Amino acid sequence: MVQCEMCGASVSSPKTVKIEGAELDVCSDCADFGTEIKTQQSSSSSTKYSTDSSSSSSGGSSGSSGTSGSGGSGRSRSRSDMFDDMDEIVTDYDERIRSAREGKDLSQSDLANELNEKASLIRKLERGDTLPSDDVQSKLEKFLDISLSGSVAADDEEWSGGSASGEYTLGDVVKRKD
C-alpha cells in the first residue's frame, strides 16, 4: 500500500496528478484537486521510481475504463493544468504601482478613492507587504495604465550552467542577490 502524498491515506492504486505545477501520487478523493497526467499501469509492482521503458507504450494501449469520466487517457493527457496558463504577478509590482501613481500626481488616499479601495491597502501594496487580489490588480492596471502580470514561460528558459554530462547542480540554478 502506498500513501496519498496529499492527505496521507493508504491507497492501493494511486493516481498521478499535477497540482499547482507539482506531480503527486494521490488517492481518488484528492485527484479532484488537479489534472490527471497519466494513467496507472495495471501491474501492482510498478512504483513512481520505475524505469520500465515500456510504461509509455503499454499504458497508452491498455487504456483505463472510467478513471477520468471525461474520456480516454489521451484526452486527459492533453489537458493542461490551470496554473500553466496563468500569468504571475511581476516581482516589482510595488515599484510599478508607486511610480504610476506618482506619475499621475495622486496621493495614496486619492488613488484609493478612485479605485474604491482602502488607503491602507494601497500602502501595503506599495510597500510590497501584500499581493493584489485579481480584482484590485485589474483596477490598478486599468486606472494607472500599467501591467502587473508577466508570463510564467519567461522563467522556463534554458539554463546556462551544468557540467559536460548535462547534469545540473543546485549551484547552477541558484541566483544570488549580491
Side-chain angles (χ1 to χ4, degrees):
M1 292 287 259
V2 179
Q3 283 189 328
C4 171
E5 293 181 345
M6 272 188 72
C7 68
S10 295
V11 181
S12 60
S13 58
K15 295 180 181 182
T16 303
V17 176
K18 188 172 185 181
I19 301 173
E20 294 191 26
E23 293 180 15
L24 302 173
D25 288 334
V26 298
C27 63
S28 59
D29 293 332
C30 294
D32 296 335
F33 291 108
T35 305
E36 189 169 349
I37 56 170
K38 68 177 184 176
T39 57
Q40 194 67 8
Q41 288 184 343
S42 60
S43 68
S44 61
S45 64
S46 172
T47 65
K48 71 177 188 177
Y49 301 110
S50 174
T51 57
D52 184 16
S53 62
S54 66
S55 65
S56 62
S57 62
S58 66
S61 63
S62 66
S64 64
S65 59
T67 55
S68 69
S70 62
S73 62
R75 186 170 182 188
S76 66
R77 183 178 288 265
S78 65
R79 283 183 33 193
S80 64
D81 190 0
M82 66 180 269
F83 294 99
D84 291 340
D85 300 331
M86 294 177 68
D87 287 339
E88 289 184 357
I89 193 157
V90 292
T91 55
D92 64 337
Y93 71 94
D94 51 345
E95 296 168 10
R96 290 186 187 192
I97 294 170
R98 183 181 310 109
S99 62
R101 176 185 57 80
E102 290 171 350
K104 290 193 171 220
D105 291 327
L106 294 172
S107 68
Q108 291 177 338
S109 59
D110 292 340
L111 178 60
N113 288 336
E114 290 290 333
L115 301 178
N116 200 19
E117 297 291 337
K118 293 183 177 181
S120 61
L121 175 65
I122 303 299
R123 282 193 292 275
K124 289 178 183 179
L125 289 171
E126 289 188 2
R127 281 195 312 255
D129 290 344
T130 186
L131 292 172
S133 66
D134 293 339
D135 183 43
V136 172
Q137 180 179 345
S138 64
K139 287 180 185 179
L140 285 165
E141 288 175 337
K142 286 178 186 173
F143 185 77
L144 297 174
D145 194 29
I146 58 174
S147 175
L148 297 176
S149 60
S151 178
V152 178
D155 296 335
D156 295 337
E157 298 172 355
E158 287 294 320
W159 293 342
S160 61
S163 62
S165 66
E167 295 180 10
Y168 295 98
T169 65
L170 184 59
D172 297 323
V173 180
V174 171
K175 294 179 183 176
R176 296 180 57 178
K177 292 184 177 181
D178 288 345

